[in-house]
Amino acid sequence: MPHASSKNTGGGSTFVRNLKDGVSDDIQFVNSLDEAQILFIPGVTLCSRPTFREAIAKEKLIVTRVDNIPEDHRNRGTGIPRLRDFAEQSHFVIFQSEWSKHVVGQITGEKGVVIYNGVDTKIFYPDESQREDKPTFIYVKHSRNECKRFQEAQVLFREYARSHEAKLIVVGKFSDDIVRYNLGFYDGEDVEFLGILNHLQLAEQYRRAHALIFPSFGDSCPNVVLEAMASGCRVLHHPWGGTAELVGSTGPQLRYGKVNTPSTLMYDAVEYVKEEMGTGNPRERVMENFTLEKMVEQYEGIFKLCVR
């Protein structure tokens, strides 16, 4: 399983860690293609073309997990061709959501199965004794990718905080300039910036919050959302991308208009927690559909099917 990335944060790294921690003794990860039966690619940006070509030359079985559409780094035009080539020449393709299969599948072809990411519910769990007394929101991102739409989260919280006592916890990677200027907040808002945290530290912060603000448009199956839900947080989200498949009816959607203003949407998120509004509990939804154990079982099934 190649992991050609210098980063230890982000969705790809989280998935790799979870899969390695969860697989049974029947599955072994080795350090050379010569020892392997399968080249498992956890994301096309995590595997080089030379490694892929070597696997083909050595007639290895190839399983590719499709993440989002890869970014075209420095406008080199390499991301989409790599995604298409890897998918077309793989024996199995795994998408992270039905949205991903439909949208990203227009590039790769829609052959393949859907396996949602899973979350370790022993690490991410609710604890009401740790929940803040006043309405507390959390925003998390592990890259500087602008598609994570921090500015929208900023506006949502700022509008809500004008008329309600509230707190925002911000976790993740931001440029020095943004941090120097207080993340764009200027009116005495209660904002706590914690920088980059490991998954154990992050779990503690979810337990403090009532809701996650997740305004990203195009994520296939964001681990951040599953972690927050497992921790008992409602998730404010857009109805695009794979996020809506995860949240279901357990959290409010970001649909603006004359009735749904930023402030009312944030109020709804708090009331979902306080008054048990909505038609489901986020933790229960994770336990039924998105556990680490369920994800690992499905991946192991694919691996074993490959080598029959």
Side-chain angles (χ1 to χ4, degrees):
M1 180 167 60
H3 188 197
S5 173
S6 60
K7 300 187 300 180
N8 290 316
T9 60
S13 294
T14 298
F15 169 79
V16 169
R17 183 190 68 238
N18 284 342
L19 186 64
K20 283 185 173 180
D21 288 348
V23 293
S24 66
D25 293 338
D26 294 338
I27 307 294
Q28 293 184 353
F29 293 105
V30 294
N31 294 319
S32 75
L33 272 173
D34 290 329
E35 300 176 64
Q37 293 173 285
I38 300 170
L39 172 67
F40 173 55
I41 302 173
V44 296
T45 59
L46 300 178
C47 178
S48 67
R49 279 191 179 274
T51 298
F52 189 77
R53 287 193 291 266
E54 182 184 357
I56 293 175
K58 293 181 176 179
E59 298 183 337
K60 301 297 181 179
L61 294 161
I62 302 175
V63 178
T64 296
R65 171 181 175 265
V66 175
D67 199 340
N68 297 330
I69 297 174
E71 296 173 338
D72 190 7
H73 185 61
R74 298 188 184 277
N75 199 32
R76 294 180 299 180
T78 59
I80 298 300
R82 183 190 296 193
L83 171 63
R84 183 182 296 112
D85 292 348
F86 282 18
E88 286 179 351
Q89 298 178 74
S90 292
H91 297 85
F92 275 91
V93 175
I94 300 171
F95 297 94
Q96 295 180 57
S97 62
E98 293 294 341
W99 175 87
S100 174
K101 185 175 181 180
H102 174 67
V103 174
V104 186
Q106 295 179 38
I107 298 170
T108 65
E110 293 191 41
K111 70 168 186 177
V113 299
V114 172
I115 300 179
Y116 293 98
N117 288 336
V119 60
D120 190 335
T121 55
K122 299 181 184 67
I123 294 175
F124 297 95
Y125 58 86
D127 184 344
E128 293 308 315
S129 69
Q130 296 183 42
R131 199 85 65 191
E132 296 279 345
D133 291 333
K134 65 180 176 181
T136 299
F137 301 88
I138 186 169
Y139 175 89
V140 180
K141 77 181 183 77
H142 295 296
S143 72
R144 295 182 186 176
N145 193 329
E146 292 299 327
C147 80
K148 304 302 180 184
R149 302 174 62 84
F150 173 68
Q151 285 184 316
E152 184 174 351
Q154 180 193 70
V155 169
L156 281 164
F157 180 75
R158 195 163 57 210
E159 290 298 310
Y160 182 78
R162 285 180 177 177
S163 55
H164 301 83
E165 186 179 11
K167 183 181 188 71
L168 175 64
I169 300 168
V170 180
V171 176
K173 188 174 184 178
F174 293 81
S175 70
D176 292 340
D177 285 343
I178 293 175
V179 174
R180 187 180 302 121
Y181 289 100
N182 198 35
L183 303 178
F185 293 100
Y186 54 82
D187 198 24
E189 298 93 345
D190 187 356
V191 178
E192 184 177 347
F193 174 61
L194 299 177
I196 296 176
L197 303 179
N198 64 39
H199 61 293
L200 298 176
Q201 295 167 327
L202 180 56
E204 294 178 358
Q205 302 310 314
Y206 286 130
R207 288 191 280 273
R208 296 174 59 197
H210 295 91
L212 169 73
I213 307 175
F214 190 80
S216 178
F217 278 170
D219 283 70
S220 294
C221 186
N223 289 295
V224 165
V225 168
L226 294 176
E227 292 166 355
M229 291 173 63
S231 305
C233 294
R234 303 289 175 172
V235 179
L236 289 97
H237 63 289
H238 284 292
W240 302 291
T243 305
E245 295 175 43
L246 308 182
V247 178
S249 59
T250 67
Q253 291 188 349
L254 295 169
R255 296 177 182 271
Y256 303 110
K258 292 182 179 179
V259 177
N260 290 331
T261 65
S263 184
T264 58
L265 286 166
M266 299 286 275
Y267 178 81
D268 285 348
V270 175
E271 291 303 303
Y272 263 63
V273 178
K274 285 185 174 180
E275 307 297 333
E276 293 300 324
M277 293 171 61
T279 56
N281 179 286
R283 169 78 178 184
E284 292 177 359
R285 183 169 173 80
V286 167
M287 296 301 292
E288 292 173 3
N289 301 285
F290 310 117
T291 62
L292 176 59
E293 293 80 6
K294 183 169 185 176
M295 180 195 82
V296 169
E297 180 183 6
Q298 291 174 305
Y299 273 95
E300 287 191 353
I302 296 292
F303 297 152
K304 291 175 181 177
L305 183 63
C306 284
V307 297
R308 279 182 183 172

